[in-house]
Amino acid sequence: MNAIKKFFGIVWMILGVVTYGILLKTALEQISAKPTTDTIVQWSIFVIIFFPITIGFLIFGWLAFKGAYDHLPTSSEEIEG
């Protein structure tokens, strides 16, 4: 099961980078096709809003890859405080 978690950690990291790349590519295409103020503002907001989400994907994937989720607590007594 831990090998699957590590594999999907890599998948999450790749997914984060690829989806943000596609978003940036689409934003640049849309802005260059119709360079009006509303288009620039709309796509700038999309790019800014989805940047932290992408960072979250990368952090989650990195932690899964490094094994931070290898042992998950089954009861509240196992949680370190």
Side-chain angles (χ1 to χ4, degrees), residues 16-70:
V17 172
V18 169
T19 54
Y20 197 71
I22 292 171
L23 177 71
L24 283 176
K25 179 180 164 270
T26 305
L28 292 174
E29 287 175 357
Q30 292 294 322
I31 290 172
S32 64
K34 185 180 167 190
T36 59
T37 304
D38 58 339
T39 304
I40 294 170
V41 170
Q42 173 188 352
W43 282 102
S44 298
I45 290 171
F46 288 160
V47 169
I48 291 168
I49 293 296
F50 280 99
F51 184 71
I53 296 169
T54 300
I55 298 299
F57 273 52
L58 293 174
I59 292 171
F60 181 73
W62 179 254
L63 290 174
F65 178 71
K66 294 304 279 183
Y69 305 115
D70 286 351

Side-chain angles (χ1 to χ4, degrees), residues 72-79:
L72 299 177
T74 56
S75 68
S76 59
E77 287 84 27
E78 292 183 38
I79 298 174

